[in-house]
Amino acid sequence: VRDLFEGMAATYGIVNLVSSFGFCRRWRRQCVTLAAPAAGMVVYDLMSGMGECWPTIARAVGARGRIVGLDFSPAMCVRARRTAARVRGPAIELLERDVLGNAIPSRAADCIVCSFGLKTLSPAQRDRLAAEIARVLKPGGTFSLLEISVPRARLLRAAYMFYVKRCIPVIGRLLLGNPDHYRLLGVYTEAFGDASGMVEPLRARGLEVEFRRLFFGCATAVRGRRA
Ligand SMILES: C[S@@+](CC[C@H](N)C(=O)[O-])C[C@H]1O[C@@H](n2cnc3c(N)ncnc32)[C@H](O)[C@@H]1O
C-alpha cells in the first residue's frame, strides 16, 4: 500500500479532483465538519496524504489550534510539507509513520479526522485503527472518518463502480499517472464496501458512533465522540 501511494503521489491530487468532478473537496470539507473542530483544538489528521484537509481544519481551529498529520508515504509527506508552508493559522506537525504503530500519546487529540484512508486497510487493520482512535482521543473528543463507497441502489452501484474501476484508470493515464495504481484503488473500494464496517469496532471501544451516507452512498462516513 505504501508503494502504491509512493507511485501515485505525483498525480493523486489532480486525478482525484478531475475524476471526482470536485466532489473529493466537498467530501473532505464534510469529513472535517462532521468532526466539529473548534478554535484552539488539537486535530489529528490520520493518513493525511498531502494535507488536503488542513485548510479546512485550519479555518476551524485558528492560530491557537494545532494540526498533526500522519502518513507513512514519504512522497505524500514531501507534498504535505509544502501544504503546511502554505496554510495560515495553526501550528502543523507531520508524523511520517504507520498509523497502526504511531507512537501518538494517549488522550492527545480533541478531534481526529481521516479522509479516504480506510479502504486500503484490511478488516483486522480497521479494528486496530478503531482501538487507536479510542486511545488517542481525549474524553469528550470527536472523530470523523470518510471514505469513497459502494452505493446500495443497484443501478447507481453498477454505474458508479463501472466509473470507478474502468474510467478512473483511464483518467489517471491521461493525467500521466500509472493506470494500474488507479485500477487498484477501484479494487480496494469494491472490497471495502462502505464505512459501516467501522461502526462496531468503534462502538466496541466505548465510542459513540453515527453512520452517514453522502451523495446517495457514493461516500460514507462514521462520526462520533468519546464519552
Ligand atoms: C487515498 S490517500 C488519502 C489522503 C488524504 N487524506 C486525502 O484526503 O486525499 C490515503 C493516504 O493514506 C496513507 N496511508 C495508507 N495506509 C496507511 C497507514 N497504515 N499508515 C499511514 N498512512 C497510511 C497513504 O500513504 C495515503 O497518503
Side-chain angles (χ1 to χ4, degrees), residues 145-158:
L145 323 173
L146 180 144
E147 186 54 275
I148 180 172
S149 301
V150 181
R152 277 189 311 183
R154 204 165 355 139
L155 269 180
L156 176 61
R157 181 170 64 224

Side-chain angles (χ1 to χ4, degrees), residues 107 112 129-138 201-202 205-207 226:
R107 300 183 170 211
I112 293 177
L129 178 67
E132 282 305 290
I133 290 170
R135 180 183 70 76
V136 168
L137 273 182
K138 293 178 186 174
L202 289 161
R205 267 72 187 198
L207 300 173
R226 179 175 168 172

